[in-house]
Amino acid sequence: MAFSSPLSPSYSSHLSSKHFKVNRTKLSTINKIYPFSLLQRSPFLKVDFSSQWERGKSSKFSISAAVTSKEYSLDGALQNTQLPKGDCWSVHKFGGTCVGTPERIGNVAEIITADQSERKLVVVSAMSKVTDMMYDLIYKAQSRDDSYITALDAVREKHKLAAVDLLDGDDLASFLSKLQDDVNNLKSMLRAIYIAGHATESFSDFVVGHGELWSAHLLSSAVRKNGVECKWMDTREVLVVNPTSSNQVDPDYLMSEERLEKWYSNNPSKTIIATGFIATTPQNIPTTLKRDGSDFSAAIMGALLKARQVTIWTDVDGVYSADPRKVSEAVILKTLSYQEAWEMSYFGANVLHPRTIVPVMQYDIPIVIKNIFNLSAPGTMICRSSGNEDEDGQKLESLVKGFATIDNVALVNVEGTGMAGVPGTASAIFSAVKDVGANVIMISQASSEHSVCFAVPQKEVKAVADVLESRFGQALSAGRLSQIAVIPNCSILAAVGQRMASTPGVSATFFTALAKANINIRAIAQGCTEYNITVVVKREDCVRALRAVHSKFYLSRTIIAVGIVGPGLIGGTLLDQLKDQTAVLKEKFNIDLRVMGITGTRTMLLSESGIDLSRWRELLSVKGEMADMNKFVHHVRGNHFIPNTVMVDCTADSDVASHYFGWLHRGIHVVTPNKKANSGPLDQYLKLRALQRQSYTHYFYEATVGAGLPIISTLRGLLETGDKILRIEGIFSGTLSYIFNNFTGTRAFSQVVKEAKEAGYTEPDPRDDLSGTDVARKVIILARESGLQLELSDIPVQSLVPEPLRSSASPEEFMQQLPQFDQQLAAQRQEAEDTEEVLRYVGVVDVVNGKGTVELQRYSKEHPFAQLSGSDNIIAFTTERYAKQPLIVRGPGAGAEVTAGGVFCDILRLASYLGAPS
C-alpha cells in the first residue's frame, strides 16, 4: 500500500492484493496517511505495507521515502542564500520539562527573544510526557487495545489546550487545523498497526516524532508573537544518520551539512526553531536519535554550524559533584572537560549522554548546562581543559571533579590456573558475553592472568553465567578453570577527574576514605589515562561509600550518626553539650553530629533524621519505646546516607561493654568513659585492641582514666615517640582526692565522706569509691597501655572500707556505722602530720618491675600530690626522658561536666580521623 502526502504534487493511493492479502473492509479506515502535514515544505513520503496475511503468520511493515518537494530538491537547487557559520551562531536545546506547559513554552520564547546572539538555532523536545504517551499509543495499538483511540485524543487535547493558551488569530487556527490533520493521519496508521498486531521500528519512530513537530510549531509561533521573525525546521529534512546494530545511530555529517545548506538557502532566518530527537536515514526513512536524542540533535547542529556555544536548558543548576539526592552537600561544578563529562555520564551521572559530547569536541564548542527555572545560576561549562584549574583556590577539589554510581550490577569472576598465558581466553569470554547481548560495564584482570572479573547489569547476569558455563564446560571439567562465580547485588562507584593523572596520592586518599567508612572493595579498575578510578562495592554500602569519598575530596561536612547509650548523669550532660555546640560545629568545622538514637535500660528513642536535642528528655519520655539493643544499633547504623556511625557508651555496665567487639567488627566506632572493657579479662582486652589495630574502626576511651584530662593521649604520645615508661603514679579518683584534700585538722573521716556524698562527688554507695576498685581499674588500663599484661586480680588494692562494713545492707546503714571507725584513719593522719606529710590515695604502675598497686601513701607537703585542691586529679609520668622531673598532668578528674567533655573531645577526635578539617 502506498500513501503520499496531500500537499505533494501527486497524491495517489492504491491497495495491491499481491502485497497485502486481507479483507478490504478491515482496511476501510486506512485510506489516507499524511506523514508530514505540519511541514512547511512537505516532502513526498511513501509508506509500504507488505504482508502475507495467511493463517498463523504475522505481518511485516516497512517504510521508504523520497524527498521530492518542488521547493526543496536534494538533486541540487541553486543556493539562494549562503549559510553563514561560526561564532555568529548560538545553539539552544530545551527539553520536555522546559516546554511542559503553555506557560513554560512562553518562558522559553522569552529566553530566545532575550538572547543577544546574532543568530540562534533552538532545538526543542516534545512537551513533557508526550514521547511516553506516543510510545504508549503504539504499544496499545499493536496489543489490539482499543483504548489507543482515547489515548490519542488525550494527546490532541494536551496540545490543543497549549495552543489556545499561547496563540490566537490565524496562528491558532493554522496550528489546530494541522494538529487535527496529523491526528487523523495517526489514527489511520495506528489502525493499521492494530490490524497487523505489529509495528516496525520505522513506524514507531514516525509516530513518536510528532511530539517534536508539534512543540516546535508551538514554540516558533510563540517566538513570532514576541515580534521575532523565525522559521522552524523539521530536522528529518536535514539530519541524516545511519542506524547501527547497538540501538544507536551514527550521524552522516557530510550529507547533513549539504542538506542544512540547501535548507537554509530556501529558508534564511536569524532564528530557527528545530525539532530534536528525530532524523532520517540515507534512504529517507524517518528515524530517531534514540536515548537523549534532543541533546544529540543540538550537539550535531552546533557542529554543523560551528557555533560559538551549545546551551542545554534543563531543571537543575548545572552538573553536580555527586547525585544531590544521595549527597546533600554536592556542589555545582563550574567547569568540566569533555573527557570528565564523558566519564561521568558513562557512569550514570545526570550530565549528558556520552555521544552528545562527540560532535562538539572536534570544533572545541563549549556546552553549557543551565537551569531554565533559575536563570541567575551560572551553570556548568563543558569544554576543553584549560590547564589553569588552580586559580579558583580549590586545588584539592579540582583533582577529582565528581563522583558517579551505577546500581544494580553483578560481578562475574572467571578464575583458573589454566587461563595464565593462554592467548584468546579473554576473547572467548567476552565473545560469549556478546552472544547473549549483555553489556559489560567494567573489566578487571590481575596481572597474573589467573582470573578475569567484569561487571554486568544484574538483570543480565544469569544469561551471562549460563552461557559461560556452557561455553567453558569442558575447561571446568578438566580443571583448567576452577570456577565461574557470580557476586550479585553490587554497585559501581567512579571518581572522575582529568588532573588525577598528574597528581600523586589521589588514589590513596580515595581508598583511605573508603577504608575509614568500613567499605569493602570487591573489584578495582583504572585506565592508563587515569581519568577515573572505578570500584565495585556492595549495593547496600554504595551511598555510604559515595558520601565518604565526596566528603574527603570536597571537604563537605563530615556526618556521623551517633547513638547514645545511657542518658544518665554523664550521658545527659553530653547530650546537652552536643545541643549547645551543634550549630558551631556545622558552621565552623564542617562536622555534623546526628544523634539518631538514645537508649537507657528500659526506654529508647529513635529518629530517622536526627533527634531534636533541645527536647530529648521530653521526646524520650513521650515517644520512647521499649529498649532493644539490637534494634537500636541496627537503626543507628542503618542510615545509608550517613557513612560513619559511633556508639557512645556513657554507662558503667559490663554488659554494654561486651558489645564493643561486635560493634567494631561491623564498622561501628566506639567512644566511652566505661572502664569495664579495658579493665576486664585480659584476653578480651587483647582481642578488642587487635581488632581495632587491624581495621579503620576507631575505639576511643580517654575519659576512662582522667575524665576530661589527657591521660591516655599523653601516654600514647610518649610511647609512639619512642620514650620508655618507667613509672606512672597518680591520684586517679576525684572523689578520694576531695576526701583527703579536706581530711585535715580535727575533722572526722566519716564527716568528710558525708560531705562529699552530699556534694555529689561519690557514687550513690560511697563504698564503690572507698573500696579502691575504680582506681584499680584505671591502674590496670594504664598498665596495659604501657605494655604490661596484667589482670585486675593482679593489682593489690588497699580498701578504705572497714572490714565489718563491707557487708552492710545499704548505703545508709554504712554511713550510720562509718563514724565507729574514724579513729584508725585519724591516727594515720596524725602520724603523717607529725612528719610534715599528708595522706593521699594513689595508684601506681611500676613498669620496670611489671606490677601495679593501689594504696594510701604519705607525701611531703612540698610534693605536687600535696598541692591539690577540690576534686583534682594528678598523674606523674616518670620516663627515660622525664627521669629527673616527672611529666605531670593535673586538673579536675570528677564531675559530669568534665567527664562528658572528655567524651565529647573523643567524638571530635573521631571526626578528625574521618576527614573533618582539624
Side-chain angles (χ1 to χ4, degrees), residues 583-797:
V584 176
L585 290 174
K586 285 183 181 179
E587 182 179 348
K588 293 187 176 181
F589 300 99
N590 273 337
I591 298 173
D592 186 356
L593 302 176
R594 306 261 186 98
V595 178
M596 308 300 288
I598 302 171
T599 184
T601 55
R602 298 176 182 174
T603 309
M604 68 180 180
L605 175 65
L606 306 178
S607 171
E608 293 295 334
S609 57
I611 294 170
D612 180 359
L613 296 183
S614 65
R615 302 172 53 224
W616 73 265
R617 289 181 177 86
E618 172 195 346
L619 293 172
L620 182 62
S621 174
V622 175
K623 295 187 177 181
E625 56 186 276
M626 184 178 294
D628 182 328
M629 185 61 75
N630 290 332
K631 181 179 179 181
F632 177 79
V633 174
H634 179 77
H635 172 83
V636 176
R637 176 72 167 76
N639 191 320
H640 297 306
F641 289 91
I642 303 179
N644 304 293
T645 303
V646 60
M647 288 294 168
V648 183
D649 174 21
C650 296
T651 73
D653 193 323
S654 57
D655 183 59
V656 176
S658 69
H659 289 283
Y660 293 176
F661 185 87
W663 291 347
L664 292 170
H665 189 71
R666 293 171 57 185
I668 300 172
H669 308 284
V670 177
V671 171
T672 184
N674 187 346
K675 294 177 278 291
K676 296 297 174 64
N678 284 12
S679 61
L682 179 62
D683 60 336
Q684 294 184 19
Y685 166 80
L686 295 175
K687 184 179 177 183
L688 192 64
R689 291 304 309 276
L691 176 62
Q692 179 198 3
R693 294 187 184 99
Q694 291 168 5
S695 68
Y696 278 93
T697 311
H698 297 283
Y699 173 40
F700 292 126
Y701 43 88
E702 184 73 72
T704 57
V705 175
L709 296 179
I711 307 300
I712 299 291
S713 56
T714 299
L715 175 56
R716 284 189 176 176
L718 293 170
L719 292 170
E720 289 170 1
T721 57
D723 202 353
K724 184 177 180 181
I725 307 298
L726 303 177
R727 182 183 178 90
I728 303 172
E729 184 176 7
I731 298 173
F732 295 102
S733 169
T735 302
L736 294 173
S737 176
Y738 177 87
I739 289 173
F740 283 98
N741 286 338
N742 289 275
F743 184 44
T744 57
T746 60
R747 301 189 69 187
F749 183 75
S750 60
Q751 181 184 357
V752 177
V753 172
K754 181 180 179 182
E755 180 182 292
K757 186 175 187 297
E758 291 173 349
Y761 286 116
T762 72
E763 295 292 333
D765 188 341
R767 286 175 292 183
D768 292 341
D769 297 295
L770 297 176
S771 68
T773 303
D774 184 67
V775 176
R777 289 189 180 277
K778 295 177 181 180
V779 168
I780 202 69
I781 289 172
L782 292 177
R784 289 174 176 178
E785 290 288 317
S786 302
L788 301 181
Q789 296 193 2
L790 299 176
E791 293 282 6
L792 185 60
S793 58
D794 295 330
I795 307 295
V797 179

Side-chain angles (χ1 to χ4, degrees), residues 9 32 112 228 253 283 295 559 719 786 810 836 838 861:
K32 293 180 182 179
I112 296 169
V228 176
Y253 290 101
Q283 296 76 34
D295 288 353
I559 306 177
L719 292 170
S786 302
S810 67
E836 296 295 314
V838 295
K861 293 184 178 181

